[in-house]
Amino acid sequence: MGGSYPLQQVSTSGTVVKVPGGEVDPIHVARQLAPISAALSRVLEEDRDGYLQQIEVALSITGDGDIAFIKSGGEAALKLTIARQREIRIP
């Protein structure tokens, strides 16, 4: 299963509008997310004191189907959360 999916956006009136010529290829998105996820995972691994428990990043998809980071206050189409693994101890 594969292929591209139409890119849509929510207009200011709240209606969903298809972006002309905009398509999203999930494989392309996954290839972009992998290095972002790996880099953020390293940040958690290097925090030996355990101060950070998780990192959340707001992302969007551009009209070209690429991943873009969102500035504070922007609307995120995707939220990437990287969290520490918790140890479960069984007595």
Side-chain angles (χ1 to χ4, degrees):
M1 189 176 220
S4 295
Y5 297 87
L7 183 63
Q8 299 179 333
Q9 72 181 41
V10 179
S11 71
T12 54
S13 65
T15 57
V16 177
V17 179
K18 184 176 179 188
V19 175
E23 291 188 342
V24 177
D25 177 357
I27 302 295
H28 180 66
V29 170
R31 286 184 182 137
Q32 294 176 78
L33 288 175
I36 295 169
S37 176
L40 294 175
S41 292
R42 279 194 302 276
V43 171
L44 285 179
E45 289 169 7
E46 292 173 5
D47 175 31
R48 306 233 188 269
D49 296 330
Y51 178 73
L52 292 171
Q53 293 302 307
Q54 70 180 27
I55 299 172
E56 290 185 358
V57 179
L59 303 168
S60 184
I61 299 176
T62 69
D64 296 326
D66 293 325
I67 294 293
F69 286 83
I70 300 296
K71 288 179 18 175
S72 178
E75 281 291 318
L78 301 167
K79 182 170 79 170
L80 177 64
T81 303
I82 307 296
R84 272 186 198 279
Q85 291 184 350
R86 293 191 176 147
E87 276 188 42
I88 299 174
R89 295 182 187 203
I90 300 173

